[in-house]
Structure formats: C-alpha cells, structure tokens
Amino acid sequence: MNILPPVRPEQSIERLTAILEPIAEKVKLVPRKRITWKHKGHQQMYLFQEGELSLLRASDGLLLVTVFEPHLFGIAEMIQPTQGHILRAERESIILRADADEAAALFREQGVWEDVAALLSYHTAYLIYRDAQVVQQRTYSVIRSYLQEMILLPEEARMRTSILEYIQDRTLLSRSSILNVLSALKQGQYIAFKRGGYLMEVGNLPESF
C-alpha cells in the first residue's frame, strides 16, 4: 500500500510565522552554508523565506527533505534539543532567525500550541512517509519514488542537480546500482535525461522492473 505524503498545515505555518517575525533577525545564506540550532549559545528557530533549504541528518549528512516554500524549522529542537539534524542552503537563501525561548513564551502568550502541534505532527508524518519510501524497499522501488519526486521539482532545481546526485544524497544506495537502474529505464524509454544526467521527463514507471 502506498503512503501519501502529508498535507502541509499552511494556516498554522502562517500564524506561527506572523508571531515570530517581529522578534526575528534576517539572515542571508550563501549556497552550501550549514546552519546549526544554536546561535551565541542560545537555541534558535528558523523561518525559511526564499531560496532552497535542506534538512540533513547530522550523523552522516543524509538529506531528508528540501523545501522551496516558506517553512518553520526548530519546533522539535525547541522542545527536545537533540542536535540530530542540521540545515543547509542549496542556493542563495533568506531565513529569519528567532530565539527559541522567546518563541516559546510568545506561543504560550498567544495560545497557539495547537498550531505548534499541527506543524510538529506534519514533520513526524513526513519522516514516516519518507521511511516508507526507502526503508527495506527494493533498489528499484526507492529509485522510482525519487524519480517521481524529482520530476515535480522546479525545472531550475532539476537542472542544478543530477539524478545520481539527488538520489545518492537521500539514500544509502551505491552509485553503480543507481546507474544500472537509470540506464535500463532510459533504454526502455521510461525516462529522459540530458547530458550530465539532468532529468527531463518521467513516463509511467512500472511498479517493478
């Protein structure tokens, strides 16, 4: 059974962002800049505004998700600061940085913990969705999922990242196993990519291959 991706809680994100904007500091990020959860010794929350931002597992750099739309990061770290993940700008980006203690005080004051819970639940559901795509799945099934995900990206983003790089960043699959599947799919005219391995088209991919 296929698990559908969770629905973003847009209204909760907008309400929480509006509350935090007055206390947040604007930060411009250069491509590949990494951001941790502390600034000057204080726990932070980050409001992503524009650009392209990825969440990576701190232990091995495995890429968990990349966002292009405004989003709020740091809810889980505010409550349980495990330092298990880091953020990375994929291209020039703008974020707002807010002190997590001040943020928590504002959330209590304005009674928006239901919105906090909605966003935290979304993040948890996304991780479950991602695990369903990659954990104990056959190599082809994993690659198929990421090809379907990748073709939905803005064209500018697809033309900056090769298929191989995109899948390797997000999985533990070997280079050879990925390339073997891609070659077979291209030969079967299920996908099309330009020189350098940049994805152009994805057809109706078979369930198994």
Side-chain angles (χ1 to χ4, degrees):
M1 183 181 73
N2 290 330
I3 297 178
L4 296 175
V7 178
R8 273 169 51 98
E10 301 288 356
Q11 293 184 340
S12 291
I13 292 172
E14 289 172 8
R15 280 191 288 266
L16 295 175
T17 297
I19 289 170
L20 295 180
E21 280 178 334
I23 66 165
E25 174 189 4
K26 189 174 185 178
V27 180
K28 290 185 178 180
L29 304 174
V30 297
R32 311 305 282 183
K33 171 70 175 178
R34 295 191 172 203
I35 311 116
T36 58
W37 299 109
K38 286 196 173 182
H39 176 64
K40 296 182 178 179
H42 295 281
Q43 195 73 22
Q44 302 293 305
M45 295 189 71
Y46 297 103
L47 291 77
F48 169 67
Q49 290 193 313
E50 60 181 74
E52 186 177 338
L53 196 67
S54 293
L55 181 73
L56 284 69
R57 195 162 64 190
S59 60
D60 58 6
L62 186 73
L63 198 157
L64 301 177
V65 65
T66 299
V67 297
F68 301 87
E69 302 174 272
H71 202 77
L72 176 59
F73 292 95
I75 291 285
E77 290 291 333
M78 176 184 71
I79 299 168
Q80 193 69 254
T82 61
Q83 313 295 314
H85 303 92
I86 56 175
L87 295 167
R88 184 180 72 194
E90 303 301 342
R91 60 187 175 94
E92 192 171 292
S93 302
I94 295 175
I95 62 171
L96 299 179
R97 180 172 58 208
D99 182 274
D101 289 338
E102 290 184 46
L106 284 175
F107 293 160
R108 282 192 293 270
E109 181 184 308
Q110 303 205 24
V112 291
W113 283 99
E114 188 173 335
D115 290 318
V116 172
L119 182 55
L120 187 57
S121 296
Y122 169 74
H123 289 163
T124 302
Y126 186 87
L127 291 176
I128 292 171
Y129 163 72
R130 184 194 172 280
D131 282 351
Q133 288 182 298
V134 300
V135 175
Q136 294 184 340
Q137 293 286 345
R138 291 173 57 247
T139 297
Y140 170 72
S141 297
V142 175
I143 294 172
R144 180 178 184 269
S145 292
Y146 279 112
L147 286 170
Q148 292 172 327
E149 177 180 287
M150 194 176 185
I151 198 63
L152 299 177
L153 296 176
E155 184 178 2
E156 186 269 339
R158 277 191 287 116
M159 294 303 105
R160 279 190 291 104
T161 307
S162 71
I163 306 171
L164 178 63
E165 182 184 359
Y166 188 86
I167 296 174
Q168 276 198 306
D169 279 350
R170 291 161 175 78
T171 70
L172 300 176
L173 297 178
S174 69
R175 174 188 175 89
S176 59
S177 62
I178 296 170
L179 290 177
N180 286 340
V181 172
L182 295 181
S183 176
L185 288 174
K186 186 179 182 183
Q187 224 171 9
Q189 299 185 331
Y190 290 107
I191 63 172
F193 50 85
K194 63 189 291 188
R195 185 181 178 89
Y198 300 98
L199 187 64
M200 301 294 291
E201 296 176 20
V202 172
N204 187 21
L205 298 174
E207 289 288 336
S208 59
F209 195 74

